[in-house]
Protein backbone atom coordinates (compact mmCIF):
# COMPACT_ATOMS: atom_id res chain seq x y z
CA UNK A 1 0.00 0.00 0.00
CA UNK A 2 2.99 2.31 0.44
CA UNK A 3 3.54 2.30 -3.32
CA UNK A 4 -0.05 3.40 -3.90
CA UNK A 5 0.38 6.32 -1.52
CA UNK A 6 3.63 7.31 -3.22
CA UNK A 7 2.13 7.20 -6.70
CA UNK A 8 -0.94 9.10 -5.49
CA UNK A 9 1.37 11.82 -4.20
CA UNK A 10 3.15 11.96 -7.56
CA UNK A 11 -0.17 12.28 -9.38
CA UNK A 12 -1.39 15.10 -7.13
CA UNK A 13 1.88 17.06 -7.28
CA UNK A 14 2.13 16.77 -11.07
CA UNK A 15 -1.51 17.82 -11.47
CA UNK A 16 -1.02 20.91 -9.30
CA UNK A 17 2.19 21.93 -11.10
CA UNK A 18 0.71 21.44 -14.58
CA UNK A 19 -2.44 23.37 -13.66
CA UNK A 20 -0.29 26.19 -12.30
CA UNK A 21 1.88 26.33 -15.43
CA UNK A 22 -1.05 26.21 -17.84
CA UNK A 23 -3.59 28.42 -16.08
CA UNK A 24 -1.43 31.33 -14.87
CA UNK A 25 -1.65 34.15 -17.38
CA UNK A 26 1.08 36.67 -18.19
CA UNK A 27 0.19 40.09 -19.56
CA UNK A 28 2.39 42.50 -21.47
CA UNK A 29 1.53 45.94 -22.79
CA UNK A 30 3.14 48.07 -25.47
CA UNK A 31 2.60 51.77 -25.08
CA UNK A 32 2.33 53.90 -28.17
CA UNK A 33 5.43 55.99 -28.75
CA UNK A 34 3.91 58.19 -31.43
CA UNK A 35 0.72 60.14 -31.47
CA UNK A 36 -2.12 58.46 -33.30
CA UNK A 37 -0.86 54.94 -32.63
CA UNK A 38 -2.82 52.93 -30.10
CA UNK A 39 -1.39 51.01 -27.19
CA UNK A 40 -2.15 47.31 -26.91
CA UNK A 41 -1.89 44.53 -24.36
CA UNK A 42 -1.61 40.79 -24.80
CA UNK A 43 -2.31 37.98 -22.37
CA UNK A 44 -1.07 34.43 -22.77
CA UNK A 45 -0.24 31.39 -20.63
CA UNK A 46 3.03 31.51 -18.69
CA UNK A 47 4.70 28.95 -20.98
CA UNK A 48 3.07 30.19 -24.15
CA UNK A 49 0.45 28.27 -26.06
CA UNK A 50 2.75 25.54 -27.36
CA UNK A 51 4.46 25.12 -23.99
CA UNK A 52 1.09 24.79 -22.27
CA UNK A 53 0.05 22.02 -24.66
CA UNK A 54 3.35 20.21 -24.13
CA UNK A 55 3.11 20.55 -20.34
CA UNK A 56 -0.51 19.39 -20.43
CA UNK A 57 0.23 16.27 -22.47
CA UNK A 58 3.34 15.43 -20.44
CA UNK A 59 1.41 15.89 -17.20
CA UNK A 60 -1.45 13.76 -18.47
CA UNK A 61 1.04 11.03 -19.34
CA UNK A 62 2.60 11.10 -15.88
CA UNK A 63 -0.81 11.06 -14.19
CA UNK A 64 -1.94 8.15 -16.39
CA UNK A 65 1.24 6.23 -15.51
CA UNK A 66 0.66 7.02 -11.83
CA UNK A 67 -2.90 5.73 -11.99
CA UNK A 68 -1.67 2.54 -13.67
CA UNK A 69 0.91 2.05 -10.92
CA UNK A 70 -1.70 2.71 -8.21
CA UNK A 71 -3.99 0.06 -9.69
CA UNK A 72 -1.10 -2.41 -9.88
CA UNK A 73 -0.09 -1.70 -6.28
CA UNK A 74 -3.62 -2.14 -4.96
CA UNK A 75 -4.23 -5.37 -6.91
CA UNK A 76 -0.85 -6.92 -6.03
CA UNK A 77 -1.37 -10.19 -4.13
CA UNK A 78 1.73 -9.82 -1.98
CA UNK A 79 1.18 -6.38 -0.48
CA UNK A 80 3.41 -5.03 2.24
CA UNK A 81 1.73 -6.20 5.44
CA UNK A 82 4.34 -5.91 8.16
Amino acid sequence: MDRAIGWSTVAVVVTVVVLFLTLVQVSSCADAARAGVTSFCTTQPMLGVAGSWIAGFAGAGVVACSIWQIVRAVRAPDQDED
Side-chain angles (χ1 to χ4, degrees), residues 5-19:
I5 294 170
W7 282 107
S8 298
T9 304
V10 169
V12 169
V13 169
V14 168
T15 301
V16 169
V17 170
V18 168
L19 285 175

Side-chain angles (χ1 to χ4, degrees), residues 3-76:
R3 283 182 25 200
I5 294 170
W7 282 107
S8 298
T9 304
V10 169
V12 169
V13 169
V14 168
T15 301
V16 169
V17 170
V18 168
L19 285 175
F20 175 77
L21 291 175
T22 57
L23 295 179
V24 172
Q25 299 287 313
V26 178
S27 298
S28 63
C29 293
D31 292 331
R34 297 176 289 164
V37 180
T38 59
S39 300
F40 64 94
C41 295
T42 59
T43 302
Q44 64 178 4
M46 184 186 317
L47 297 177
V49 175
S52 292
W53 279 102
I54 291 170
F57 280 120
V62 171
V63 170
C65 177
S66 297
I67 291 171
W68 175 254
Q69 293 296 328
I70 292 166
V71 169
R72 287 186 62 211
V74 170
R75 289 186 178 177

